Amino acid sequence: MTDAVEFLVPSPKKAAWVIDLEQGTVSWSNPTAKKRFGEALGVSRDGLTYIDRELKDDLTQFLSQSDKSTLLCFHWLIRDVSNMLYRCTASVISLGVNHHGFSVEACICPAEVSNHLPRYYGRKNLPESLNSLILMTFSCDGERLFLSRRAESLFHTVQHIKDLFAVSGAASYFIQRVKFDQVVQQELRLSTSDGVRWFKLEAHVNPDSGNVDLFAQDIQEVRDLEVELFKWQNYDELTHLPNRHLLYQQLEKAKINAIKRNRRFGLMFLDLDGFKVVNDTFGHRVGDQLLQQVANRIKNTIPSRSCLYRLGGDEFVVVLEHIRDTQELLDIAVDIHATGEQTYPVSEMEMVITASIGIACYPEHGEDIDSLLKNADAAMYRSKSNTHNGYRIFDESMTECYSAYLTLGGGLRKAIEEGQFELYYQPKVRSTDECTVGAEALLRWHHPEWGMIPPDQFIPVAEESGLILPLGEWVIRRACQHIQEWQSLGLPPINVSVNLSGRQFLQHDLVDIVQDILTETKIDPKYLELELTESMLMSDAHETIKKLHAFREMGIMLSIDDFGTGYSSLAYLKKFPIQSLKIDRSFIQDLGVDSDDDAIVKATIAMAQSLNLKVVAEGVESRSQMNLLTNYQCQEVQGFLFAKPMSSTDFVEYLNNRGPDLEAFIDPETL
């Protein structure tokens, strides 16, 4: 009989023993068997090891009706003296003329099998396990002739072989196979006193009598185990989504179908934006709850004919077969994008988390599965580097970007240590008199080999790697040092704003870090402004309010950056101790051209004025934009119309030429 459980492996040192049926003894056993199973091999008496008397009778009666020339085998599971699970295989052997017995070998089960089986499955007591053997003999006409004790308890109402089967069609097919093949092995469902269960049947036709000898192995637990192991190997335990293993299987099948039918299929690589911040700040339990909700929401958002997989961590893949064009994938991306604007109730918090998506199609974006996944991943990284909660379709230019992205990760720490970063400053101009009253600090990386690396390439890497924390601290310290230097040169004091990253804002000791920097540089806190995004503020509104009030008590100015592009609640906005709003450049670029943008900007300024908030417009590049913003009473602007970002040295020269005079300067605390 072949193994019913394919995942079992033999132990290097097998336990083995021989059962002599005529004597009813274990006539031989090797040291491993004695050590592992001890008295479980049988009862020791008079220097011999005896098996159970009734078991001896059952086996003898069964074998007396069997074809001894056939290598009849059967299996069972038992545990040794240390509770380790073994699988025993017993084969009929000849011990002399008309003298038969069993040769038994026990192989250890792998840990993953042993740990998943119920503790009662395969007891340590060997005679009790052998007593549960299900042995049956039926006449050539199918009438019942013999049932072992365990078979009797399971099938006591059975009078004919066909009565065993839960499905009558299966009974007819099995009986026909036995008559034709003489030896049959098959897994079937049988009707027992315990209900319908799975069994592995081995049937032998005795050539002399025509009787049918059956050995039935109850494999219900094994079947259940196989199902559990399949889930364990192929499904994510946290989200219950199919995992990477099933993803590769589906993609290979999708490729075969696409080639046969000349069709296309697509996949979307999703990576959550800033998820590591959640784990690091709130713990993995909260992160797991958030992942479960995100998975459920995406699964309910995508079409029913698509499938969602979790690769691990915060990475997901959506596969859609038989697509007409990439627009179908773009439509799904838009729907997923929309879900990022809705909060997730997690651990008494309202969290917002978005996803960056990369899209690739077979065959134009990869003719093999690995290339397709890699290119979708590259598109996702391009999306993440440009904007969170966005999506991109792969193109060839992204391959170089992806390679650079991976390389940048290894150089960031070295760049911090070697001082390869520099702060640039873009002036903020007061709209009424176009006098420079502030500046925004912008981070630049001067790589010794690649030259200037833009922030949209290295900031996502810093976020994911956690290096954004030391880098962010360096930015605040360097900005404060520059403020101190400019004032020592006799320049009029101006307000400098610094952008905080999401992960940086969630640092539990951020307030203390900023306070130490202010103390160290000896600058007045009112000249430092911290810019935060809407999604950062709404990730945990209660804790955000506490932290913002701590900053305000220190005298630091606070601003909401890119206002209008994220999710915010006006009710909370009133509670946040914010001094200014910065209108995102996406609303400014079509000002005077797009009536919707005009209405949004005008309404935002009016709302801010009603809340006594200053408004700053970024991305101002034309005089017409400036005139409209002045008419709408926007207090400050920044953009290429006045100056591009510049180094600290150039900014000092700029201030000397175009900066504020001391008499015209307005203290930011009074705004």
Side-chain angles (χ1 to χ4, degrees):
M1 178 182 287
T2 58
D3 286 353
V5 189
E6 299 296 336
F7 42 75
L8 299 172
V9 297
S11 169
K13 295 183 180 180
K14 293 181 181 178
W17 62 96
V18 173
I19 298 175
D20 185 335
L21 275 184
E22 184 174 308
Q23 300 296 325
T25 62
V26 175
S27 59
W28 173 86
S29 59
N30 68 7
T32 303
K34 293 175 182 176
K35 179 180 177 181
R36 288 292 182 187
F37 300 104
E39 294 183 0
L41 296 179
V43 178
S44 297
R45 188 172 65 250
D46 303 328
L48 297 174
T49 302
Y50 291 90
I51 66 171
D52 182 82
R53 176 77 181 184
E54 293 183 359
L55 170 65
K56 172 181 175 292
D57 293 342
D58 270 353
L59 292 175
T60 301
Q61 184 174 353
F62 179 71
L63 288 181
S64 68
Q65 304 176 87
S66 303
D67 179 8
K68 309 302 189 305
S69 64
T70 303
L71 290 178
L72 180 65
C73 302
F74 49 86
H75 313 275
W76 71 96
L77 298 176
I78 63 172
R79 296 187 185 273
D80 66 5
V81 293
S82 61
N83 213 31
M84 187 77 70
L85 189 67
Y86 282 75
R87 183 171 190 243
C88 297
T89 301
S91 303
V92 177
I93 60 173
S94 174
L95 298 177
V97 179
N98 297 324
H99 186 185
H100 292 85
F102 290 98
S103 173
V104 184
E105 285 189 346
C107 300
I108 193 171
C109 293
E112 60 267 26
V113 177
S114 179
N115 294 339
H116 281 76
L117 274 174
R119 303 308 297 173
Y120 63 81
Y121 192 87
R123 304 174 191 272
K124 288 192 291 184
N125 187 284
L126 180 62
E128 182 177 332
S129 296
L130 280 173
N131 284 345
S132 65
L133 292 177
I134 305 167
L135 307 173
M136 295 173 279
T137 300
F138 295 89
S139 69
C140 59
D141 296 325
E143 300 298 328
R144 164 178 167 168
L145 297 178
F146 162 77
L147 270 67
S148 66
R149 282 176 296 166
R150 179 57 179 157
E152 178 67 35
S153 67
L154 287 172
F155 308 109
H156 60 276
T157 61
V158 170
Q159 298 300 319
H160 193 278
I161 191 172
K162 66 180 181 181
D163 299 334
L164 289 171
F165 300 89
V167 179
S168 58
S172 302
Y173 177 71
F174 182 80
I175 293 170
Q176 289 176 4
R177 281 195 61 198
V178 171
K179 290 180 178 179
F180 182 79
D181 296 332
Q182 302 295 297
V183 178
V184 173
Q185 298 176 20
Q186 189 173 350
E187 294 182 2
L188 292 164
R189 290 185 301 160
L190 304 184
S191 296
T192 75
S193 55
D194 297 328
V196 175
R197 298 177 64 84
W198 278 97
F199 288 82
K200 181 160 188 177
L201 298 182
E202 181 167 332
H204 296 257
V205 176
N206 189 311
D208 297 326
S209 63
N211 293 342
V212 178
D213 297 319
L214 276 180
F215 167 70
Q217 183 183 5
D218 187 337
I219 60 170
Q220 185 64 53
E221 284 83 0
V222 175
R223 275 293 183 109
D224 294 342
L225 173 61
E226 288 173 341
V227 171
E228 290 302 315
L229 286 178
F230 180 83
K231 291 180 181 178
W232 176 66
Q233 293 169 351
N234 297 284
Y235 285 83
D236 175 53
E237 186 176 1
L238 178 65
T239 63
H240 305 298
L241 293 175
N243 62 15
R244 184 187 301 269
H245 185 251
L246 283 186
L247 169 64
Y248 276 93
Q249 287 187 17
Q250 183 186 355
L251 290 178
E252 291 292 350
K253 291 178 182 177
K255 178 183 174 182
I256 293 172
N257 291 333
I259 294 173
K260 283 183 178 179
R261 297 173 173 80
N262 193 26
R263 289 180 174 176
R264 307 162 70 200
F265 68 90
L267 61 87
M268 308 169 66
F269 201 110
L270 287 73
D271 185 273
L272 301 186
D273 300 320
F275 177 74
K276 191 168 176 38
V277 179
V278 178
N279 272 345
D280 292 347
T281 306
F282 301 107
H284 287 273
R285 182 176 298 181
V286 171
D288 287 349
Q289 293 177 23
L290 180 59
L291 275 176
Q292 288 172 327
Q293 291 197 37
V294 169
N296 287 334
R297 184 178 292 180
I298 295 176
K299 186 177 180 180
N300 292 329
T301 300
I302 62 178
S304 57
R305 65 188 182 90
S306 60
C307 190
L308 176 65
Y309 299 82
R310 184 190 178 201
L311 295 191
D314 60 342
E315 294 181 337
F316 299 85
V317 169
V318 176
V319 177
L320 184 65
E321 295 191 50
H322 312 315
I323 63 170
R324 295 183 299 276
D325 50 46
T326 54
Q327 187 59 47
E328 294 183 61
L329 298 171
L330 289 173
D331 292 341
I332 298 175
V334 170
D335 292 339
I336 296 175
H337 180 281
T339 67
E341 300 175 359
Q342 305 168 26
T343 60
Y344 293 92
V346 179
S347 191
E348 299 182 353
M349 294 181 286
E350 294 291 321
M351 289 191 168
V352 174
I353 192 161
T354 58
S356 296
I357 304 173
I359 300 172
C361 293
Y362 176 87
E364 56 263 45
H365 298 145
E367 296 185 354
D368 61 84
I369 302 307
D370 289 333
S371 297
L372 199 62
L373 281 168
K374 185 190 74 171
N375 291 339
D377 196 17
M380 181 276 294
Y381 277 120
R382 172 63 66 86
S383 172
K384 188 178 287 288
S385 67
N386 290 341
T387 178
H388 283 182
N389 204 25
Y391 48 88
R392 291 288 184 276
I393 298 176
F394 174 78
D395 64 60
E396 291 299 329
S397 65
M398 295 178 181
T399 304
E400 182 178 348
C401 173
Y402 180 71
S403 300
Y405 189 98
L406 298 178
T407 307
L408 289 176
L412 265 175
R413 189 177 299 277
K414 183 178 180 181
I416 297 173
E417 295 172 352
E418 296 183 354
Q420 297 175 12
F421 290 99
E422 181 182 2
L423 285 187
Y424 273 44
Y425 294 91
Q426 184 172 39
K428 291 182 182 180
V429 175
R430 190 166 51 210
S431 60
T432 54
D433 56 6
E434 298 189 2
C435 178
T436 299
V437 293
E440 179 181 2
L442 301 167
L443 186 61
R444 297 292 184 265
W445 182 2
H446 295 282
H447 195 280
E449 297 178 14
W450 303 329
M452 185 75 78
I453 300 177
D456 60 5
Q457 289 190 22
F458 67 81
I459 291 297
V461 184
E463 285 272 10
E464 294 298 323
S465 65
L467 292 175
I468 195 66
L469 300 182
L471 188 58
E473 182 177 342
W474 180 88
V475 170
I476 297 173
R477 177 173 283 103
R478 192 72 183 113
C480 290
Q481 289 171 348
H482 281 150
I483 294 173
Q484 182 188 48
E485 292 171 9
W486 300 336
Q487 292 180 4
S488 68
L489 293 173
L491 293 170
I494 64 170
N495 172 274
V496 174
S497 61
V498 174
N499 291 280
L500 293 182
S501 74
R503 187 170 186 185
Q504 186 181 13
F505 182 67
L506 291 174
Q507 269 184 286
H508 71 280
D509 57 347
L510 178 62
V511 174
D512 294 334
I513 290 174
V514 175
Q515 179 64 72
D516 291 342
I517 292 174
L518 292 173
T519 302
E520 172 190 323
T521 56
K522 297 183 175 62
I523 69 164
D524 192 326
K526 68 184 179 182
Y527 297 119
L528 176 64
E529 180 175 344
L530 299 179
E531 293 189 3
L532 311 99
T533 64
E534 294 174 82
S535 59
M536 287 163 52
L537 295 174
M538 295 304 299
S539 62
D540 183 1
H542 179 70
E543 289 298 319
T544 294
I545 292 173
K546 289 171 56 179
K547 191 169 292 186
L548 294 182
H549 277 291
F551 284 130
R552 284 302 297 141
E553 289 173 5
M554 293 164 54
I556 293 174
M557 308 290 287
L558 299 171
S559 173
I560 296 181
D561 190 19
D562 300 337
F563 185 77
T565 61
Y567 173 92
S568 62
S569 165
L570 292 180
Y572 274 114
L573 192 60
K574 292 171 59 179
K575 297 180 181 180
F576 294 148
I578 300 295
Q579 284 71 59
S580 66
L581 303 179
K582 180 178 282 189
I583 301 177
D584 184 67
R585 66 180 64 249
S586 62
F587 298 109
I588 303 301
Q589 61 186 5
D590 290 329
L591 202 61
V593 178
D594 189 317
S595 59
D596 290 339
D597 284 346
D598 282 41
I600 291 172
V601 171
K602 194 172 184 179
T604 300
I605 295 173
M607 178 200 68
Q609 289 176 340
S610 68
L611 295 174
N612 296 317
L613 300 176
K614 179 180 69 177
V615 179
V616 181
E618 63 178 353
V620 178
E621 299 181 357
S622 69
R623 180 53 61 178
S624 61
Q625 293 171 342
M626 181 64 187
N627 292 338
L628 281 172
L629 289 168
T630 302
N631 291 337
Y632 293 159
Q633 299 183 5
C634 176
Q635 290 98 325
E636 294 179 11
V637 299
Q638 67 181 89
F640 288 180
L641 177 63
F642 298 99
K644 294 181 179 181
M646 62 193 82
S647 67
S648 175
T649 302
D650 292 340
F651 187 64
V652 169
E653 184 177 350
Y654 171 88
L655 288 177
N656 282 323
N657 295 331
R658 300 189 55 182
D661 56 64
L662 289 171
E663 295 180 357
F665 179 71
I666 297 179
D667 192 323
E669 187 67 32
T670 64
L671 293 176

